[in-house]
Amino acid sequence: MTRMLLRFAALLAATASVCALAEYPDRPITIIVPFAAGGPTDTLARLLGQRMSKTLGQTIVIENVAGAGGIIANNKVMRSPPDGYTVAIGHVGTHVLAPAVQGLDVDYVNDFEPVALVASNPQVIVANPNVPVKSLKDIIAYVKANPGAVSYGTGGPGTPSHVMAVDFGTRVGAPLNIVHYKGSAPALQDVIAGHVNLTFDQAATALAQARAGRVKAFAVTAPTRLTMAPDIPTVDEAGLPGFYMSIWHALWVPKGTPKEAIAKLNAAAREALADPVIRKQLVDLGQEIPSPDQQTPEALRAHQKAETAKWWPIIKAAGIKS
């Protein structure tokens, strides 16, 4: 009799668990943003969160947890209950580069459950108009003729723009004179002012300055041209094949989150990315929207794994630290 009661209790518990999951979500969901309010990642989170909330039928709250290149926010998400109510948004810097440049013993490919790749923002190679170059090939020749003298502004030690600068120097066979700033915005401003020669900046911010004539844009660090700037050649076309770097954004949840909850979050993200209004807003921000086959959790894990395998050896070999 006791054994039968125990089995009945277990059956009731399993049934209750299934019913609870079927009702997901039944309360607000929080998206943790690893940067301050107002930046590109925060803007993207708010656009997606507002649209995803309609699909999920629950409010999505945006919480900004800045610091340590995204590590603080990532730790908070990893320590949260794996129930689908805490979601991380991050990018190549927070979920690929940061652990390597900070020397952390973590495995972000497997320490999170992937939800969806949501946007990609390639870098644009830009220079001050007074730099005596007219093309990317000219920039390469100029750097080779002046090794270590051509100044380059980064968004800070260990940031994507810093890692790219090191990779660029290795590829062309001559180093850049790397100057670190507290963010990509002041780096770009000093390129505009002529204090440094060039930088690689996100299309979302660089293109506005290029269109205003404040900087010259030479190439997009992607295999295809940008939708919003089809006149700018790719690095393949401009003379530096394979020099790709994109500030891609994605969503993750804590490891162990039920697959059913992940599926609902993924469906909501995909629906948001298919919305014409959201698509236009993202394109206006310089974001490229991944194809539907790249929006699955499996595709995100594979992409993150490939990016880790690509950038970690470069970071380690160069001894890049934040």
Side-chain angles (χ1 to χ4, degrees):
M1 184 69 176
T2 302
R3 185 175 298 175
M4 290 180 64
L5 288 174
L6 288 173
R7 288 178 178 175
F8 182 66
L11 179 62
L12 286 177
T15 302
S17 176
V18 170
C19 290
L21 189 57
E23 296 171 357
Y24 171 85
D26 62 1
R27 54 189 171 88
I29 296 167
T30 299
I31 294 181
I32 304 293
V33 177
F35 303 106
T41 305
D42 178 74
T43 300
L44 184 58
R46 293 177 191 277
L47 285 175
L48 290 174
Q50 186 176 26
R51 182 60 180 81
M52 288 173 66
S53 68
K54 294 181 180 180
T55 303
L56 295 167
Q58 290 292 336
T59 300
I60 292 184
V61 178
I62 305 301
E63 182 180 349
N64 299 92
V65 181
I71 299 299
I72 296 175
N74 287 345
N75 286 343
K76 180 169 184 174
V77 173
M78 287 191 293
R79 290 196 301 266
S80 298
D83 53 13
Y85 290 95
T86 304
V87 180
I89 187 170
H91 57 49
V92 64
T94 61
H95 282 72
V96 173
L97 306 185
V101 300
Q102 295 188 35
L104 302 179
D105 184 18
V106 294
D107 177 9
Y108 281 172
V109 174
N110 296 302
D111 289 345
F112 291 92
E113 301 288 356
V115 175
L117 183 67
V118 295
S120 179
N121 194 345
Q123 303 281 77
V124 178
I125 299 173
V126 298
N128 179 275
N130 293 322
V131 177
V133 292
K134 295 182 179 179
S135 67
L136 179 56
K137 288 183 178 179
D138 287 347
I139 291 177
I140 294 171
Y142 188 54
V143 172
K144 286 184 174 181
N146 301 277
V150 179
S151 56
Y152 170 94
T154 83
T159 58
S161 57
H162 178 201
V163 176
M164 285 185 74
V166 173
D167 188 34
F168 178 88
T170 300
R171 285 173 182 263
V172 305
L176 291 163
N177 176 19
I178 295 174
V179 182
H180 293 305
Y181 290 83
K182 293 182 178 179
S184 58
L188 184 59
Q189 286 301 314
D190 263 15
V191 172
I192 293 170
H195 300 312
V196 291
N197 299 133
L198 67 150
T199 191
F200 307 150
D201 197 18
Q202 294 187 55
T205 49
L207 291 178
Q209 302 299 337
R211 287 169 179 157
R214 298 187 184 98
V215 296
K216 292 189 293 186
F218 296 97
V220 177
T221 62
T224 57
R225 295 194 180 200
L226 289 171
T227 302
M228 67 181 302
D231 55 316
I232 302 176
T234 67
V235 285
D236 294 338
E237 297 167 327
L240 194 58
F243 184 58
Y244 306 144
M245 165 64 90
S246 176
I247 309 302
W248 51 266
H249 279 84
L251 302 175
W252 293 266
V253 288
K255 188 175 182 63
T257 298
K259 291 182 179 179
E260 292 83 354
I262 294 172
K264 287 189 175 183
L265 288 168
N266 177 265
R270 291 165 73 99
E271 189 170 319
L273 295 175
D275 187 317
V277 174
I278 298 297
R279 291 180 71 90
K280 184 179 185 306
Q281 290 174 319
L282 292 178
V283 170
D284 288 345
L285 290 171
Q287 302 290 336
E288 297 283 293
I289 300 170
S291 59
D293 65 301
Q294 291 299 306
Q295 295 172 16
T296 67
E298 296 78 17
L300 171 56
R301 190 185 296 280
H303 181 65
Q304 185 181 1
K305 185 176 181 180
E307 288 282 86
T308 301
K310 172 184 176 179
W311 292 111
W312 275 43
I314 293 172
I315 291 168
K316 299 300 184 182
I320 298 174
K321 299 183 183 300
S322 62

Coordinates of all heavy atoms in Angstrom, one line a residue, residues 177-251:
N177 N 49.8 51.1 -34.1 CA 50.1 51.8 -32.9 C 48.7 51.9 -32.1 O 47.9 52.8 -32.4 CB 50.6 53.2 -33.1 CG 50.8 54.0 -31.8 OD1 50.9 53.4 -30.8 ND2 50.9 55.3 -32.0
I178 N 48.5 50.9 -31.2 CA 47.2 50.8 -30.6 C 47.0 51.8 -29.4 O 47.9 51.9 -28.5 CB 47.0 49.4 -30.1 CG1 46.9 48.4 -31.3 CG2 45.7 49.2 -29.3 CD1 46.9 46.9 -30.9
V179 N 45.9 52.5 -29.5 CA 45.6 53.5 -28.4 C 44.2 53.1 -27.9 O 43.2 53.1 -28.6 CB 45.5 54.9 -29.0 CG1 45.2 56.0 -27.9 CG2 46.8 55.3 -29.8
H180 N 44.2 52.9 -26.6 CA 43.0 52.4 -25.9 C 42.1 53.6 -25.4 O 42.7 54.6 -24.9 CB 43.3 51.5 -24.7 CG 43.9 50.2 -25.2 ND1 43.3 49.4 -26.1 CD2 45.0 49.6 -24.8 CE1 44.0 48.3 -26.2 NE2 45.1 48.4 -25.5
Y181 N 40.8 53.5 -25.5 CA 39.9 54.4 -25.0 C 38.9 53.7 -24.1 O 38.8 52.5 -24.1 CB 39.1 55.1 -26.2 CG 40.0 56.1 -27.0 CD1 40.8 55.6 -28.0 CD2 40.0 57.4 -26.7 CE1 41.6 56.4 -28.7 CE2 40.9 58.3 -27.5 CZ 41.6 57.8 -28.5 OH 42.5 58.6 -29.2
K182 N 38.1 54.5 -23.4 CA 37.0 54.0 -22.5 C 35.7 53.9 -23.3 O 34.8 54.6 -23.1 CB 36.9 54.8 -21.3 CG 38.1 54.8 -20.3 CD 37.8 55.6 -19.1 CE 39.0 55.5 -18.1 NZ 38.8 56.3 -16.9
G183 N 35.8 53.0 -24.4 CA 34.6 52.9 -25.2 C 34.9 53.2 -26.6 O 35.8 54.0 -27.0
S184 N 34.1 52.7 -27.5 CA 34.3 52.9 -29.0 C 33.9 54.3 -29.4 O 34.4 54.8 -30.4 CB 33.5 51.9 -29.8 OG 32.1 51.9 -29.5
A185 N 33.0 54.9 -28.7 CA 32.5 56.3 -29.1 C 33.6 57.3 -29.0 O 33.9 58.0 -29.9 CB 31.3 56.7 -28.2
P186 N 34.4 57.3 -27.8 CA 35.5 58.3 -27.8 C 36.6 58.0 -28.8 O 37.3 58.9 -29.3 CB 36.0 58.2 -26.3 CG 35.4 57.0 -25.8 CD 34.1 56.7 -26.5
A187 N 36.8 56.7 -29.1 CA 37.8 56.3 -30.1 C 37.4 56.9 -31.4 O 38.3 57.4 -32.1 CB 37.9 54.8 -30.1
L188 N 36.2 56.7 -31.8 CA 35.7 57.2 -33.1 C 35.8 58.7 -33.1 O 36.1 59.3 -34.2 CB 34.3 56.7 -33.4 CG 33.7 57.1 -34.7 CD1 34.5 56.6 -35.9 CD2 32.2 56.7 -34.8
Q189 N 35.5 59.4 -32.0 CA 35.6 60.8 -32.0 C 37.0 61.3 -32.2 O 37.2 62.4 -32.8 CB 35.0 61.3 -30.6 CG 33.5 61.3 -30.5 CD 32.8 62.1 -31.6 OE1 33.1 63.2 -31.9 NE2 31.8 61.5 -32.2
D190 N 38.0 60.6 -31.7 CA 39.3 61.0 -31.9 C 39.8 60.7 -33.3 O 40.8 61.4 -33.8 CB 40.3 60.3 -30.8 CG 40.5 61.3 -29.7 OD1 39.8 62.3 -29.5 OD2 41.5 61.0 -28.9
V191 N 39.2 59.7 -34.0 CA 39.5 59.6 -35.4 C 39.0 60.8 -36.2 O 39.6 61.3 -37.0 CB 38.9 58.2 -35.9 CG1 39.0 58.2 -37.4 CG2 39.6 57.0 -35.3
I192 N 37.7 61.2 -35.8 CA 37.1 62.3 -36.5 C 38.0 63.6 -36.2 O 38.2 64.4 -37.2 CB 35.7 62.5 -35.9 CG1 34.8 61.4 -36.4 CG2 35.1 63.9 -36.4 CD1 33.4 61.4 -35.7
A193 N 38.5 63.7 -35.0 CA 39.3 64.9 -34.7 C 40.7 64.9 -35.2 O 41.4 65.9 -35.2 CB 39.3 65.1 -33.1
G194 N 41.1 63.7 -35.7 CA 42.4 63.6 -36.3 C 43.5 63.2 -35.3 O 44.7 63.3 -35.6
H195 N 43.1 62.9 -34.1 CA 44.1 62.5 -33.0 C 44.7 61.1 -33.3 O 45.8 60.8 -32.8 CB 43.5 62.6 -31.7 CG 43.0 64.0 -31.3 ND1 43.8 65.1 -31.5 CD2 41.8 64.4 -30.8 CE1 43.1 66.2 -31.2 NE2 41.9 65.8 -30.7
V196 N 43.9 60.2 -33.9 CA 44.3 58.9 -34.3 C 43.9 58.7 -35.7 O 43.0 59.3 -36.2 CB 43.8 57.8 -33.4 CG1 44.4 57.8 -32.0 CG2 42.3 57.8 -33.3
N197 N 44.6 57.8 -36.4 CA 44.4 57.6 -37.8 C 43.2 56.9 -38.2 O 42.4 57.2 -39.1 CB 45.6 57.0 -38.5 CG 46.9 57.7 -38.3 OD1 47.9 57.2 -37.9 ND2 46.9 59.0 -38.6
L198 N 43.0 55.7 -37.5 CA 41.9 54.9 -37.9 C 41.3 54.0 -36.8 O 41.9 54.0 -35.7 CB 42.3 54.0 -39.1 CG 43.3 52.9 -38.8 CD1 43.1 51.7 -39.7 CD2 44.7 53.4 -39.0
T199 N 40.2 53.4 -37.1 CA 39.6 52.5 -36.1 C 38.7 51.5 -36.9 O 38.4 51.8 -38.1 CB 38.8 53.2 -35.0 OG1 38.4 52.2 -34.0 CG2 37.5 53.8 -35.5
F200 N 38.3 50.4 -36.2 CA 37.2 49.6 -36.8 C 36.1 49.7 -35.8 O 36.2 49.4 -34.6 CB 37.7 48.1 -36.8 CG 39.0 47.9 -37.5 CD1 39.9 46.9 -37.1 CD2 39.4 48.7 -38.5 CE1 41.1 46.6 -37.7 CE2 40.7 48.5 -39.2 CZ 41.5 47.5 -38.8
D201 N 34.9 50.2 -36.3 CA 33.8 50.4 -35.4 C 32.5 49.8 -36.0 O 32.5 49.5 -37.2 CB 33.6 52.0 -35.3 CG 32.7 52.3 -34.2 OD1 32.5 51.5 -33.2 OD2 32.1 53.4 -34.1
Q202 N 31.6 49.6 -35.1 CA 30.3 49.0 -35.6 C 29.6 49.8 -36.6 O 29.6 51.1 -36.6 CB 29.4 48.8 -34.4 CG 29.9 47.8 -33.3 CD 28.8 47.6 -32.3 OE1 27.7 47.2 -32.6 NE2 29.2 47.8 -31.0
A203 N 29.0 49.1 -37.6 CA 28.4 49.8 -38.7 C 27.3 50.8 -38.2 O 27.1 51.9 -38.7 CB 27.7 48.8 -39.6
A204 N 26.6 50.4 -37.1 CA 25.6 51.2 -36.5 C 26.0 52.6 -36.2 O 25.2 53.6 -36.4 CB 25.0 50.6 -35.3
T205 N 27.3 52.8 -35.8 CA 27.7 54.1 -35.5 C 28.7 54.7 -36.5 O 28.7 55.9 -36.8 CB 28.5 54.1 -34.1 OG1 29.4 53.0 -34.1 CG2 27.5 53.9 -33.0
A206 N 29.5 53.9 -37.1 CA 30.5 54.4 -38.1 C 29.8 54.9 -39.4 O 30.3 55.9 -39.9 CB 31.4 53.2 -38.5
L207 N 28.8 54.3 -39.8 CA 28.2 54.7 -41.1 C 27.6 56.1 -41.0 O 27.7 56.9 -42.0 CB 27.1 53.7 -41.5 CG 27.6 52.4 -41.9 CD1 26.4 51.4 -42.3 CD2 28.5 52.5 -43.1
A208 N 27.0 56.5 -39.9 CA 26.5 57.9 -39.8 C 27.6 58.9 -39.9 O 27.4 59.9 -40.6 CB 25.8 58.0 -38.4
Q209 N 28.8 58.6 -39.3 CA 29.9 59.5 -39.4 C 30.5 59.5 -40.8 O 30.9 60.6 -41.4 CB 31.0 59.2 -38.4 CG 30.5 59.2 -37.0 CD 30.0 60.5 -36.5 OE1 30.3 61.6 -37.1 NE2 29.1 60.5 -35.5
A210 N 30.5 58.4 -41.5 CA 31.0 58.3 -42.9 C 30.1 59.1 -43.8 O 30.6 59.8 -44.7 CB 31.1 56.8 -43.3
R211 N 28.8 59.0 -43.6 CA 27.9 59.7 -44.5 C 28.0 61.2 -44.3 O 27.7 62.0 -45.2 CB 26.4 59.2 -44.2 CG 26.2 57.8 -44.8 CD 24.9 57.2 -44.3 NE 24.7 55.9 -44.9 CZ 23.9 55.0 -44.3 NH1 23.3 55.2 -43.2 NH2 23.7 53.8 -44.9
A212 N 28.3 61.6 -43.1 CA 28.5 63.0 -42.8 C 29.8 63.6 -43.3 O 30.1 64.8 -43.2 CB 28.3 63.3 -41.3
G213 N 30.7 62.7 -43.8 CA 32.0 63.1 -44.3 C 33.1 63.3 -43.2 O 34.2 63.8 -43.5
R214 N 32.8 62.8 -42.0 CA 33.7 63.0 -40.9 C 34.8 62.0 -40.9 O 35.8 62.2 -40.3 CB 32.9 63.0 -39.6 CG 31.9 64.2 -39.5 CD 31.3 64.2 -38.1 NE 30.3 65.3 -38.0 CZ 29.0 65.0 -38.1 NH1 28.5 63.8 -38.3 NH2 28.1 66.0 -38.1
V215 N 34.5 60.8 -41.4 CA 35.5 59.7 -41.6 C 35.3 59.1 -43.0 O 34.3 59.3 -43.6 CB 35.3 58.6 -40.5 CG1 35.6 59.1 -39.2 CG2 34.0 58.0 -40.6
K216 N 36.3 58.4 -43.4 CA 36.2 57.7 -44.7 C 36.0 56.2 -44.4 O 36.8 55.6 -43.5 CB 37.5 57.9 -45.5 CG 37.6 59.3 -46.1 CD 38.7 59.4 -47.1 CE 40.1 59.2 -46.4 NZ 41.2 59.5 -47.4
A217 N 35.1 55.5 -45.0 CA 34.8 54.1 -44.8 C 35.4 53.3 -46.0 O 35.2 53.7 -47.1 CB 33.3 53.9 -44.7
F218 N 36.1 52.3 -45.6 CA 36.9 51.5 -46.7 C 36.4 50.1 -46.9 O 36.5 49.6 -48.0 CB 38.3 51.5 -46.3 CG 39.0 52.9 -46.3 CD1 39.1 53.6 -45.1 CD2 39.4 53.5 -47.5 CE1 39.7 54.8 -45.1 CE2 39.9 54.7 -47.5 CZ 40.1 55.4 -46.3
A219 N 35.9 49.4 -45.9 CA 35.4 48.1 -46.1 C 34.6 47.6 -44.9 O 34.7 48.1 -43.8 CB 36.6 47.1 -46.2
V220 N 33.8 46.6 -45.1 CA 33.0 46.0 -44.1 C 33.6 44.6 -43.8 O 34.0 43.9 -44.7 CB 31.5 45.7 -44.6 CG1 30.7 45.0 -43.6 CG2 30.9 47.1 -45.0
T221 N 33.7 44.3 -42.5 CA 34.4 43.1 -42.1 C 33.4 41.9 -42.0 O 33.2 41.3 -41.0 CB 35.1 43.3 -40.7 OG1 34.0 43.6 -39.7 CG2 36.1 44.4 -40.7
A222 N 32.9 41.6 -43.2 CA 31.9 40.6 -43.4 C 32.0 40.0 -44.8 O 32.5 40.7 -45.7 CB 30.5 41.1 -43.1
P223 N 31.5 38.8 -45.0 CA 31.6 38.2 -46.3 C 30.6 38.8 -47.3 O 30.7 38.6 -48.5 CB 31.3 36.7 -46.1 CG 30.5 36.7 -44.8 CD 31.0 37.8 -44.0
T224 N 29.6 39.6 -46.8 CA 28.6 40.2 -47.7 C 28.5 41.7 -47.4 O 28.7 42.1 -46.3 CB 27.2 39.5 -47.6 OG1 26.8 39.6 -46.3 CG2 27.3 38.1 -48.0
R225 N 28.0 42.5 -48.4 CA 27.9 43.9 -48.2 C 26.7 44.2 -47.3 O 25.7 43.3 -47.2 CB 27.7 44.6 -49.5 CG 28.9 44.6 -50.4 CD 28.9 45.6 -51.5 NE 30.0 45.5 -52.4 CZ 30.4 46.5 -53.2 NH1 29.7 47.6 -53.3 NH2 31.5 46.3 -53.9
L226 N 26.7 45.3 -46.6 CA 25.6 45.7 -45.7 C 24.4 46.1 -46.5 O 24.5 46.8 -47.5 CB 26.0 46.8 -44.8 CG 27.1 46.5 -43.7 CD1 27.5 47.8 -43.0 CD2 26.5 45.6 -42.7
T227 N 23.2 45.7 -45.9 CA 21.9 46.1 -46.5 C 21.8 47.6 -46.6 O 21.4 48.2 -47.6 CB 20.8 45.5 -45.8 OG1 20.9 44.1 -45.8 CG2 19.4 45.9 -46.4
M228 N 22.3 48.3 -45.5 CA 22.1 49.7 -45.4 C 23.2 50.5 -46.0 O 23.2 51.7 -46.1 CB 21.9 50.1 -43.9 CG 23.2 49.9 -43.1 SD 22.9 50.4 -41.3 CE 22.5 52.1 -41.5
A229 N 24.3 49.8 -46.5 CA 25.4 50.5 -47.1 C 26.0 49.6 -48.2 O 27.1 49.2 -48.1 CB 26.5 50.8 -46.1
P230 N 25.2 49.4 -49.2 CA 25.7 48.5 -50.3 C 26.8 49.0 -51.1 O 27.4 48.2 -51.9 CB 24.4 48.3 -51.2 CG 23.6 49.5 -50.9 CD 23.9 49.9 -49.5
D231 N 27.2 50.3 -51.0 CA 28.3 50.9 -51.7 C 29.6 50.6 -51.1 O 30.7 50.8 -51.8 CB 28.1 52.4 -51.8 CG 27.9 53.0 -50.4 OD1 27.2 52.5 -49.6 OD2 28.6 54.1 -50.2
I232 N 29.7 50.1 -49.8 CA 31.0 49.8 -49.2 C 31.3 48.4 -49.4 O 30.6 47.5 -49.1 CB 30.9 50.1 -47.7 CG1 30.5 51.6 -47.4 CG2 32.2 49.8 -47.0 CD1 30.3 51.9 -45.9
P233 N 32.5 48.2 -50.0 CA 32.9 46.8 -50.3 C 33.2 45.9 -49.1 O 33.4 46.5 -48.0 CB 34.2 47.0 -51.1 CG 34.8 48.3 -50.6 CD 33.6 49.1 -50.4
T234 N 33.2 44.6 -49.2 CA 33.6 43.7 -48.2 C 35.1 43.7 -48.1 O 35.8 44.1 -49.1 CB 33.1 42.3 -48.4 OG1 33.7 41.8 -49.6 CG2 31.6 42.3 -48.7
V235 N 35.6 43.1 -47.0 CA 37.1 43.0 -46.9 C 37.6 42.1 -48.0 O 38.8 42.2 -48.5 CB 37.5 42.5 -45.5 CG1 37.4 43.6 -44.5 CG2 36.7 41.3 -45.1
D236 N 36.8 41.1 -48.4 CA 37.2 40.2 -49.5 C 37.4 40.9 -50.8 O 38.4 40.7 -51.5 CB 36.2 39.1 -49.7 CG 36.0 38.2 -48.5 OD1 37.0 38.1 -47.7 OD2 35.0 37.5 -48.3
E237 N 36.5 41.8 -51.0 CA 36.6 42.6 -52.3 C 37.7 43.7 -52.2 O 38.3 44.1 -53.2 CB 35.2 43.3 -52.5 CG 34.1 42.3 -52.8 CD 32.7 43.0 -52.7 OE1 32.6 44.0 -51.9 OE2 31.8 42.6 -53.4
A238 N 37.9 44.2 -51.0 CA 38.8 45.3 -50.8 C 40.3 45.0 -50.6 O 41.1 45.9 -50.7 CB 38.4 46.2 -49.6
G239 N 40.6 43.7 -50.4 CA 42.0 43.3 -50.4 C 42.5 42.6 -49.1 O 43.7 42.4 -49.0
L240 N 41.6 42.3 -48.2 CA 42.0 41.5 -47.0 C 41.0 40.4 -46.8 O 40.2 40.4 -45.8 CB 42.0 42.5 -45.8 CG 42.8 42.0 -44.5 CD1 44.2 41.6 -44.9 CD2 42.7 43.0 -43.4
P241 N 41.1 39.4 -47.6 CA 40.1 38.3 -47.5 C 40.1 37.6 -46.2 O 41.1 37.3 -45.5 CB 40.6 37.3 -48.6 CG 41.4 38.1 -49.5 CD 42.1 39.2 -48.7
G242 N 38.8 37.3 -45.7 CA 38.6 36.6 -44.5 C 38.8 37.3 -43.2 O 38.6 36.8 -42.1
F243 N 39.0 38.6 -43.3 CA 39.1 39.5 -42.1 C 37.7 39.8 -41.6 O 37.3 41.0 -41.7 CB 40.0 40.7 -42.4 CG 40.3 41.6 -41.2 CD1 40.9 41.0 -40.1 CD2 39.9 42.9 -41.1 CE1 41.2 41.8 -38.9 CE2 40.2 43.7 -40.0 CZ 40.8 43.2 -38.9
Y244 N 37.1 38.9 -41.0 CA 35.7 39.0 -40.5 C 35.6 39.3 -39.0 O 36.3 38.6 -38.2 CB 34.9 37.8 -40.9 CG 34.9 37.4 -42.3 CD1 34.8 36.0 -42.7 CD2 35.0 38.3 -43.3 CE1 34.9 35.6 -44.0 CE2 35.0 37.9 -44.7 CZ 34.9 36.6 -45.0 OH 35.0 36.1 -46.3
M245 N 34.8 40.2 -38.6 CA 34.4 40.4 -37.2 C 33.1 41.1 -37.2 O 32.9 42.1 -37.8 CB 35.4 41.2 -36.5 CG 34.9 41.7 -35.1 SD 34.5 40.5 -33.9 CE 36.1 40.3 -33.0
S246 N 32.1 40.4 -36.5 CA 30.8 41.0 -36.4 C 30.4 41.1 -34.9 O 30.7 40.1 -34.1 CB 29.8 40.2 -37.1 OG 28.5 40.7 -36.9
I247 N 29.8 42.2 -34.5 CA 29.3 42.2 -33.1 C 27.9 41.6 -33.1 O 26.9 42.3 -33.2 CB 29.3 43.7 -32.6 CG1 30.7 44.4 -32.8 CG2 28.9 43.7 -31.1 CD1 31.8 43.7 -32.2
W248 N 27.9 40.3 -33.1 CA 26.6 39.6 -33.2 C 26.0 39.5 -31.8 O 26.7 39.3 -30.8 CB 26.8 38.2 -33.8 CG 27.9 37.4 -33.2 CD1 29.1 37.3 -33.7 CD2 27.8 36.5 -32.0 NE1 29.9 36.4 -32.9 CE2 29.0 35.9 -31.9 CE3 26.7 36.2 -31.2 CZ2 29.3 35.0 -30.8 CZ3 27.0 35.3 -30.1 CH2 28.3 34.7 -30.0
H249 N 24.7 39.6 -31.7 CA 24.0 39.5 -30.4 C 23.1 38.3 -30.4 O 22.6 37.8 -31.4 CB 23.1 40.8 -30.2 CG 23.8 42.0 -29.7 ND1 24.4 42.8 -30.6 CD2 23.9 42.5 -28.5 CE1 25.0 43.8 -29.9 NE2 24.7 43.6 -28.6
A250 N 23.0 37.8 -29.2 CA 22.2 36.6 -29.0 C 21.5 36.5 -27.6 O 21.9 37.3 -26.8 CB 23.0 35.3 -29.2
L251 N 20.6 35.6 -27.4 CA 19.9 35.3 -26.2 C 20.3 34.0 -25.6 O 20.4 33.0 -26.3 CB 18.4 35.4 -26.3 CG 17.8 36.7 -26.9 CD1 16.3 36.5 -27.2 CD2 18.1 37.9 -26.0

